[in-house]
């Protein structure tokens, strides 16, 4: 399964050049960082060789662990001076290879910038350093009965810096918005060493909306050093419906019917039978494992609001053909229903040695058609696929199950994933909902965007980072790469990644 980039057997000459380069860069970094903040021995840098997309690995040349914005400015100064690529890294939970190192690059970890700087219950905001974990913000805000709404399933580990870079979403984003809707201000350092503040404390900042350009830019425009997030009041109460469907397509139509009825649930998630059966023995969430699909629909607010919305949702679900409806009767049961959904990705390990998590977004009304298409692809590629996803947002997460020890299974899983994304684009959707492009979907960008659009993206990148040192070779494919990809698509081959040392 591990694709080591570049080839593990570097020619002796190149290995020697890399070692010399490592020493040169480390020596320069020692002038600006304490020695404990610089890792260069392979046994120390190994834990950074991949992110959550563990199929791709690359040992970085050096890892740095700055503990202040001033140290980040200094590190970027060294890298700029010596022309060294820099890969920012939060917790490394990303699923598209965004934090995957570059052979001759520096990984800049924000792990030591993990302080909540200020919590302001009056303005309902928190100012946090980039390495603060998503869940830690809500835990700290709980004393004021507030929380931070975007809740990726990885929230126990992932950082706010990574959330900003990926514009992360989660179960509650249908009602409360993605990261971009919940961040007021980002402070960041450009590769030139300038400290820039985007956005502001008010809802609308003057000038061009560069905050929106920056959020979701996958570490390619600057290093986040501080984030001001919005906090929202914890709802007085919440309850969740589990609705069963005998047909996946009927479940999909129920999703569209709920929204069409003018209901915006606090969460609207779907799991097909493969998913509920892989999760249930692991979490005992009480899922209906006989159903072809289950929907989890949450209502939150005052007790009266919740009761009314649960009744309205139940009526719509019944009309849409639900074969059974269960409503959580206590907070413990509500959390149990969600715990199955939140643990779905790890549960895949129970039924398959490996899985490949895709992330595409489609118009809600096309859900049924796309899931039927994915079922057809299971036969075509001879691989199973579990579907567990943010149905209300139309954000699919097909988990393609494979065994990397069987020759060509990973390649088939990759081709399967690429075809799913092409189908998402064909029905008017996009190749990513929240996990980003990284290296994983870089070729699918050629399917989604015309050369002129990719050129426009490069212009934005160059405006922030003229030398292309921040997270290069991620997210935006070169036009040459797209041309090669076009040829490969015709011949049915796969395009190898080519991250070769640039010194
Ligand atoms: C089990 C599991 C469940 C998940 N569920 C969800 C989900 O529900 N929703 C969702 O959106 N995602 C989900 N993810 C994906 C992942 O957790 C998110 O993308 C998350 O935002 C990554 O945060 P991180 O701190 O781990 O960032 P990393 O993986 O370290 O980095 C992600 C990207 O951000 C960049 N970056 C990191 N820090 C900075 C910084 N300070 N400045 C600039 N760039 C930076 C990196 O270069 C990289 O491109 C899941 C992942 C796992 C493993």
């Amino acid at each position: 399964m591990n694709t080591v980039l570049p080839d593990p057997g570097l020619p002796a000459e190149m290995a020697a050049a890399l070692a010399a380069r490592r020493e040169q860069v480390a020596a320069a970094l020692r002038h600006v960082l304490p020695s404990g903040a610089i890792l260069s021995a392979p046994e120390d840098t190994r834990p950074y060789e991949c992110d959550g997309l563990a199929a791709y690995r690359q040992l970085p040349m050096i890892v740095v662990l700055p503990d202040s914005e001033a140290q980040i400015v200094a590190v970027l100064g060294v890298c700029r001076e010596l022309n060294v690529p820099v890969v920012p890294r939060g917790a490394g939970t990303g699923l598209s290879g965004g934090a995957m190192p570059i052979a001759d690059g520096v990984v800049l970890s924000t792990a030591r910038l993990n302080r909540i700087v200020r919590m302001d219950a009056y303005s309902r905001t928190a100012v946090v350093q980039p390495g603060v974990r998503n869940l830690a913000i809500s835990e700290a805000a709980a004393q004021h009965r507030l929380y931070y709404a975007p809740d990726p399933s990885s929230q126990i580990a992932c950082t706010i810096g990574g959330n900003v870079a990926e514009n992360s979403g989660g179960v509650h984003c249908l009602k409360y918005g993605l990261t971009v809707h919940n961040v007021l201000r980002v402070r960041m350092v450009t590769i030139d060493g300038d400290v820039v503040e985007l956005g502001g404390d008010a809802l609308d900042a003057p000038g061009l909306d560069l905050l929106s350009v920056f959020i979701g830019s996958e570490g390619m425009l600057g290093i986040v050093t501080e984030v001001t997030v919005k906090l929202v009041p914890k709802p007085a109460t919440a309850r969740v419906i589990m609705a069963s469907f005998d047909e996946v397509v009927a479940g999909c139509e129920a999703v569209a019917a709920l929204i069409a009825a003018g209901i915006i649930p606090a969460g609207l998630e779907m799991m097909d039978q493969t998913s509920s059966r892989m999760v249930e023995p692991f979490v005992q969430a009480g899922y209906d494992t006989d159903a072809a699909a289950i929907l989890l629909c949450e209502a939150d607010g005052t007790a009266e609001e919740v009761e009314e919305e649960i009744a309205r949702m139940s009526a719509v679900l019944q009309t849409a053909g639900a074969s059974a409806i269960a409503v959580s009767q206590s907070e413990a049961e509500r959390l149990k229903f969600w715990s199955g959904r939140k643990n779905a990705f790890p549960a895949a390990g129970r039924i398959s040695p490996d899985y490949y998590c895709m992330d595409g977004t489609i118009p809600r009304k096309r859900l049924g058609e796309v899931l039927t298409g994915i079922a057809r692809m299971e036969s075509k590629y001879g691989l199973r696929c579990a579907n567990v996803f943010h149905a209300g947002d139309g954000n699919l997460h097909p988990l393609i199950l494979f065994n990397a020890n069987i020759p060509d299974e990973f390649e088939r899983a990759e081709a399967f994933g690429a075809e799913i994304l092409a189908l998402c684009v064909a029905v008017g959707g996009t190749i990513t909902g929240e996990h980003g492009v990284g290296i994983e979907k870089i070729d699918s960008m050629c399917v989604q965007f015309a050369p002129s659009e990719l050129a426009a993206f490069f212009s934005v990148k160059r405006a922030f980072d003229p030398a292309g040192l921040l997270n290069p070779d991620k997210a935006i494919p070169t036009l040459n790469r797209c041309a090669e990809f076009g040829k490969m698509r015709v011949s049915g081959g796969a395009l190898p990644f080519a991250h070769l040392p640039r010194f």
Side-chain angles (χ1 to χ4, degrees):
M1 173 171 177
N2 301 344
T3 306
V4 179
L5 310 173
D7 287 343
L10 264 189
E13 241 172 62
M14 210 180 253
L18 185 59
R21 175 70 160 168
R22 176 180 295 118
E23 193 33 54
Q24 179 200 18
V25 176
L29 286 168
R30 280 194 284 271
H31 289 296
V32 299
L33 287 180
S35 58
I38 305 169
L39 310 177
S40 58
E43 62 271 26
D44 295 331
T45 56
R46 181 81 59 201
Y48 299 86
E49 68 180 351
C50 67
D51 62 7
L53 182 68
Y56 295 100
R57 288 164 193 260
Q58 171 62 64
L59 260 192
M61 181 171 71
I62 291 173
V63 176
V64 292
L65 298 149
D67 66 9
S68 68
E69 183 180 83
Q71 287 188 352
I72 291 180
V73 171
V75 166
L76 293 184
V78 168
C79 292
R80 189 175 64 246
E81 194 65 28
L82 297 177
N83 202 32
V84 181
V86 180
V87 177
R89 179 180 173 106
T93 66
L95 290 169
S96 57
M100 203 192 76
I102 293 171
D104 58 339
V106 164
V107 167
L108 189 160
S109 163
T110 59
R112 292 183 179 173
L113 288 129
N114 59 0
R115 235 170 15 91
I116 295 182
V117 180
R118 203 163 47 249
M119 181 77 57
D120 183 344
Y122 185 67
S123 68
R124 290 186 181 164
T125 56
V127 179
V128 300
Q129 291 189 323
V132 170
R133 291 175 306 110
N134 173 298
L135 188 60
I137 303 176
S138 292
E139 284 169 350
Q143 57 179 313
H144 306 294
R145 291 206 54 77
L146 299 171
Y147 75 111
Y148 176 62
D151 54 345
S153 302
S154 52
Q155 67 181 153
I156 193 169
C158 67
T159 66
I160 193 71
N163 293 177
V164 166
E166 300 288 9
N167 189 18
S168 296
V171 163
H172 288 99
C173 290
L174 174 63
K175 184 165 179 180
Y176 294 101
L178 299 161
T179 302
V180 70
H181 307 111
N182 288 278
V183 165
L184 282 173
R185 186 188 64 108
V186 165
R187 189 174 160 102
M188 61 99 168
V189 184
T190 67
I191 189 70
D192 289 330
D194 295 327
V195 176
V196 178
E197 294 208 354
L198 307 173
D201 290 339
L203 272 184
D204 198 8
L208 283 180
D209 185 3
L210 292 178
L211 181 64
S212 299
V213 173
F214 189 83
I215 294 178
S217 61
E218 301 195 24
M220 296 190 307
L221 305 185
I223 311 287
V224 178
T225 56
E226 199 176 88
V227 184
T228 305
V229 297
K230 292 186 211 169
L231 302 172
V232 290
K234 273 185 149 184
T237 185
R239 292 177 79 189
V240 62
I241 296 177
M242 177 179 65
S244 311
F245 289 86
D246 296 336
E247 301 280 344
V248 172
V249 173
C252 294
E253 281 164 8
V255 170
L258 280 169
I259 306 289
I263 304 169
I264 305 292
L268 181 49
E269 303 281 305
M270 184 181 234
M271 297 174 78
D272 67 8
Q273 191 176 49
T274 309
S275 307
S276 62
R277 288 190 174 178
M278 90 194 170
V279 166
E280 186 56 22
F282 176 48
V283 179
Q284 276 126 30
Y287 289 163
D288 178 356
T289 52
D290 291 330
I294 56 171
L295 278 183
L296 295 173
C297 323
E298 180 158 288
D300 68 2
T302 62
E304 297 74 26
E305 283 166 346
V306 169
E307 197 178 330
E308 197 236 317
E309 194 166 291
I310 290 283
R312 285 179 70 205
M313 289 201 292
S314 301
V316 173
L317 292 166
Q318 252 147 10
T319 309
S323 54
I325 288 185
V327 183
S328 63
Q329 297 301 319
S330 63
E331 180 61 6
E333 191 175 25
R334 183 183 79 87
L335 294 176
K336 207 160 65 133
F337 280 171
W338 283 122
S339 71
R341 164 62 185 93
K342 295 222 169 192
N343 285 296
F345 291 8
R350 296 186 61 256
I351 61 167
S352 173
D354 301 288
Y355 70 88
Y356 186 34
C357 173
M358 298 311 295
D359 162 49
T361 299
I362 55 169
R364 269 185 299 264
K365 62 180 185 207
R366 311 293 291 264
L367 276 173
E369 176 187 345
V370 170
L371 288 186
T372 307
I374 292 174
R376 265 198 305 273
M377 289 176 212
E378 289 186 88
S379 316
K380 174 173 170 185
Y381 292 100
L383 296 173
R384 285 177 306 159
C385 181
N387 288 291
V388 41
F389 57 97
H390 308 310
D393 301 309
N395 182 197
L396 300 173
H397 286 323
L399 298 178
I400 301 169
L401 309 175
F402 68 100
N403 182 349
N405 293 320
I406 298 178
D408 100 330
E409 277 219 353
F410 178 55
E411 287 72 21
R412 269 189 284 141
E414 277 194 312
F416 189 166
E419 190 167 338
I420 293 174
L421 295 184
L423 178 59
C424 291
V425 174
V427 301
T430 72
I431 59 163
T432 169
E434 53 184 20
H435 295 171
V437 175
I439 54 165
E440 180 206 21
K441 299 184 203 117
I442 194 158
D443 291 329
S444 296
M445 288 288 281
C446 311
V447 178
Q448 175 107 61
F449 295 104
S452 57
E453 292 170 305
L454 295 173
F457 296 160
F458 269 117
S459 303
V460 175
K461 164 80 173 151
R462 265 195 302 274
F464 281 82
D465 176 21
L469 290 177
L470 281 179
N471 223 0
D473 305 331
K474 310 265 175 74
I476 316 174
T478 60
L479 299 186
N480 280 345
R481 186 174 178 113
C482 284
E484 286 303 311
F485 179 61
K487 286 186 218 150
M488 290 289 175
R489 285 181 88 199
V490 172
S491 66
L495 193 65
F497 289 107
H499 294 269
L500 293 173
R502 69 201 64 218
F503 50 87

